[in-house]
Amino acid sequence: MSTTEKLHPIVLQLEAIEGRLGRIEKALGVEDQPKTLIRKRTIVMVVVLLMFAIGLMLGINYVLNELLSALPV
């Protein structure tokens, strides 16, 4: 190989480091997975908040109906 075809020693070191880091990530189970637009915990949180809001509105409706129906006409 001529000198123009040989990689610079720094480039060789960086490639070696990248290879080692790739093996470490693979061993730890770290992968570049694309994240979903809406995560599961966000969906669960929205559902729980909606249930709470509906329960609160139904409770307020019930209490107001009971109070207003007890008023004399």
Side-chain angles (χ1 to χ4, degrees):
M1 290 175 67
S2 68
T3 56
T4 57
E5 294 176 1
K6 291 183 182 178
L7 293 175
H8 194 276
I10 294 176
V11 174
L12 291 173
Q13 281 295 103
L14 290 175
E15 287 177 351
I17 291 170
E18 185 178 354
R20 287 187 209 119
L21 288 175
R23 288 194 305 269
I24 291 171
E25 288 175 346
K26 187 175 179 182
L28 292 174
V30 177
E31 297 178 10
D32 292 334
Q33 297 176 351
K35 295 184 178 182
T36 57
L37 185 63
I38 300 175
R39 294 182 182 172
K40 289 179 185 177
R41 67 177 179 217
T42 305
I43 294 171
V44 169
M45 187 184 307
V46 167
V47 169
V48 168
L49 289 174
L50 282 174
M51 288 173 51
F52 177 75
I54 290 170
L56 184 65
M57 288 297 145
L58 289 175
I60 290 172
N61 188 23
Y62 175 77
V63 169
L64 288 178
N65 283 338
E66 292 295 316
L67 286 176
L68 294 176
S69 65
L71 291 174
V73 178

